[in-house]
Amino acid sequence: MQRRFALLFPLVVFSLVFSLHLQGQDKSTDAQGHPWWQHAVFYEIYPRSFMDSNNDGIGDLNGIASKLDYLQALGVDAIWIAPCFPSPQVDFGYDVSDYENIDKMYGTLADFDRLEKLGRQHGIKIILDFVVNHTSDQHPWFIESRSSRDNPKRDWYIWRDGKAQNLPPNNWLSTFGGSAWQWDSKTTQYYYHYFYPQQPDRNWRNPAVSTAMYGVTTWWYKRGVAGFRLDAVDTLFEDPNLKDNPLLPGKNAYGDPNMENKYNDKLPEVHDVMKGLRKAAYPYGAVLIGETWTKDVSELKDYYGTNHDELQMPMDLMLTKLKFSAQIFREHMGAVNASGEWPTWVISNHDIVRSWNRYGDGKHNDEIAKDMAAMYLTLRGTPIMYYGEEIGMQNNDPTRPEDVKDPIGRRGWPREKGRDGERTPMQWNDTPNAGFTTGIPWNPIPVTYQTYNVADELKDPNSILNWYKALLALRHKDPALLEGEYIALNQDDPNVLSYLRKTKNEAILVAINMSDNQQKVSFDLTKEGVALGKSNTLLTNQINLRNIATISSVTLEPFAVYIAKVE
Ligand code: GLC
Ligand code: CA
């Protein structure tokens, strides 16, 4: 008895000290102190378009559940599901009318619980999408708020008198076109909406709003959700004096004057909400991912919080705006690295043209898709993939305005065609409707599904899909890729992006020829403590590089990727 106690005692002290040590961090860190999300690969699912289980033409939660084997085999550790809550679907779910339920078209809460449980069995965590800026105009809170000027929920939204008769309170514009103010004849005031009029902005200055919203996140954490992607966080606050925004030259796709959103975008108060959400996430070890459109790395850094008490994963969406170029990427990586934060890499999502089209040059898009994957899946940081990117899915934009589903595409046609093109159904195989549904898909599938689909690509060793699988497998098992530092190499090379990922014990070289010409490169890594220059190829898409043993001179064919362990 005594002996056993003696043995246990140091253990108890140790774990006490250890848990005290962890207090500044999230729960569920691994032995090296890495929270789970730093080693994870995230995958965004647009639920309408992933897999339809009941053949009504719209994807659903049971459809997602039926594809967990695929996601696990691909190497995905967490899925972020775009909003699947009850919604009138004006903005395809980004207009939420009930935050604590599932929309019937996607299933039930029981389906969600089943998905969460199955996810756990597959090692796949669930991240939900939290629409923080606004609700649907059909949300009971807004219905109440709208009902009278003295309703207790009136101040949950932003109501103001007009400047004069028929004149909104100021010149602010909705990012989806037209004035940001909607007249309400019943209570003869305007309410504010940064997005569609059916998406009234919450009044985050009202503490009752923040309490209710933090409560919603807790409700889902208790249901097993591992974190949230926070929608449109930049626009949570507005200048209380409603100062007019400065106008800029020219007009946008909706015919509105261009405007600098100086008084209704990225107000400093946003950071208080990020801190509040983080506090609510803390007891659950949950992760917060931000839809953070930032102009530079310093603005991105702010979203982590000065005391690391805001978002763990503010998305680097700047990468999506860069041109495919070794030099441009290197410069950006350098700035990100210098900020010292843990990056969150994103190359596409449901709001922007697919990466295959955006980075592609029109001739070598498949090769470029592989280069992009090789880059962002081997950088230091956490990647978030977008469904279908791994099979080279392409945008399928409507060609006639009457076919457009996304309202901004109707309003902005032809300059703004909307976002239908990047939200088409996942291409599972070459049967009709790409195996997504036997009904009529809600959004048409491009003919390219006959060659770009999961089933066919699994059979082709050179497919984009197998390239992703190989990269993800490598990333998961290699400590240098998981947590090694990033060291830029050959910084003057305009064509080949090269870097080392290095831990104390190991170094991995990544070299990507981003040009359509053959490039000869050599690496001298003595400065980096890798004196011998001996190499062991881990992954390449160029056969004759599989067996090279030194990196003093390497010939890279157009768009070739070479990843090797170096000594
Ligand atoms: C975010 C979403 C986008 C949506 C908007 C309004 O930008 O990603 O799809 O339309 O917020 O909620
Ligand atoms: Ca369905």
Side-chain angles (χ1 to χ4, degrees), residues 332-456:
H332 184 64
M333 304 318 162
V336 170
N337 199 46
S339 84
E341 302 294 351
W342 184 269
T344 297
W345 303 113
V346 176
I347 62 169
S348 56
N349 68 31
H350 64 281
D351 292 325
I352 48 181
V353 170
R354 280 201 175 264
S355 50
W356 190 92
N357 302 81
R358 198 163 7 88
Y359 300 107
D361 63 359
K363 274 197 225 138
H364 309 95
N365 291 32
D366 286 356
E367 290 93 325
I368 291 173
K370 288 182 180 174
D371 282 4
M372 287 306 296
M375 179 182 83
Y376 95 110
L377 300 176
T378 64
L379 283 173
R380 177 179 169 276
T382 301
I384 306 181
M385 298 167 57
Y386 183 50
Y387 83 95
E389 160 196 316
E390 74 275 24
I391 53 172
M393 266 173 69
Q394 298 153 37
N395 250 68
N396 187 39
D397 293 318
T399 51
R400 307 179 310 174
E402 59 268 37
D403 296 333
V404 176
K405 311 241 163 15
D406 185 13
I408 57 169
R410 271 179 265 134
R411 184 165 190 147
W413 192 272
R415 251 175 85 187
E416 170 62 70
K417 293 195 166 74
R419 297 162 291 182
D420 300 349
E422 54 263 29
R423 298 172 173 180
T424 59
M426 178 70 176
Q427 295 159 196
W428 294 107
N429 56 45
D430 65 1
T431 66
N433 297 329
F436 163 73
T437 184
T438 57
I440 300 168
W442 76 278
N443 192 7
I445 299 167
V447 284
T448 45
Y449 83 89
Q450 287 163 2
T451 41
Y452 292 85
N453 65 64
V454 171
D456 287 341

Side-chain angles (χ1 to χ4, degrees), residues 91 94 131 134 176 195 199 229 231-232 291 293 350-351 419 423:
D91 193 15
Y94 282 97
V131 185
H134 46 270
F176 286 167
F195 297 94
Q199 294 169 302
R229 177 264 189 184
D231 181 66
E291 189 204 13
W293 288 99
H350 64 281
D351 292 325
R419 297 162 291 182
R423 298 172 173 180

Side-chain angles (χ1 to χ4, degrees), residues 210-243:
S210 41
T211 306
M213 291 302 284
Y214 301 156
V216 169
T217 63
T218 304
W219 191 87
W220 283 108
Y221 294 145
K222 288 190 172 143
R223 243 190 154 93
V225 164
F228 283 99
R229 177 264 189 184
L230 305 176
D231 181 66
V233 294
D234 299 331
T235 54
L236 297 185
F237 285 88
E238 302 74 31
D239 170 39
N241 300 317
L242 304 186
K243 278 201 211 88

Side-chain angles (χ1 to χ4, degrees), residues 44-50 82 92 94 350 386-387 423 442:
E44 177 188 357
I45 289 181
Y46 198 67
R48 289 183 87 77
S49 297
F50 197 59
F92 294 110
Y94 282 97
H350 64 281
Y386 183 50
Y387 83 95
R423 298 172 173 180
W442 76 278

Side-chain angles (χ1 to χ4, degrees), residues 25 27 49 100 164 166 201 214 239 320 368 375 415 460:
Q25 307 171 18
K27 267 179 162 184
S49 297
E100 295 177 353
N166 296 328
D201 275 50
Y214 301 156
D239 170 39
T320 67
I368 291 173
M375 179 182 83
R415 251 175 85 187
D460 171 6

